Amino acid sequence: MNLNKAFALRVSKLLNERKMSKYKLEKLSGLSHTTMRYIFNEVNTEVKFSTIVRVAEAFDMSLKEFFDDEVFKYENIDY
């Protein structure tokens, strides 16, 4: 899977765990609705590093915590 798909899966998992809406994540991260829609609808194949940082900060997580998930294992990511 590409990085964008892995990112979308991780964000979805965190939204479910924290019972947070995509709307709230958009507001906390400062990302536009269009950006979030592109991520979740897999319009883009790559996600910007700045987007990852903003989302991790919105979840009050370090990048290490954010990437500490099975979805980001090397064998799962096409690079």
Side-chain angles (χ1 to χ4, degrees):
M1 92 181 78
N2 65 41
L3 179 59
N4 187 78
K5 175 130 177 112
F7 178 74
L9 289 171
R10 178 66 168 144
V11 170
S12 292
K13 181 178 178 182
L14 290 167
L15 288 171
N16 286 332
E17 287 175 358
R18 295 168 186 229
K19 297 179 180 20
M20 183 187 294
S21 69
K22 288 180 188 176
Y23 177 78
K24 184 170 183 180
L25 178 60
E26 289 169 7
K27 294 303 173 196
L28 291 173
S29 67
L31 295 172
S32 70
H33 178 71
T34 302
T35 298
M36 294 301 284
R37 194 180 69 216
Y38 281 9
I39 290 166
F40 285 100
N41 292 336
E42 299 179 49
V43 173
N44 299 333
T45 57
E46 296 181 13
V47 62
K48 290 182 182 180
F49 183 72
S50 60
T51 300
I52 296 170
V53 170
R54 290 168 80 173
V55 168
E57 288 176 345
F59 282 122
D60 196 27
M61 302 174 85
S62 68
L63 288 175
K64 182 178 178 182
E65 291 170 313
F66 183 82
F67 283 111
D68 187 21
D69 191 85
E70 293 290 315
V71 73
F72 292 115
K73 285 184 131 186
Y74 288 123
E75 58 268 17
N76 294 336
I77 303 290
D78 298 330
Y79 55 92

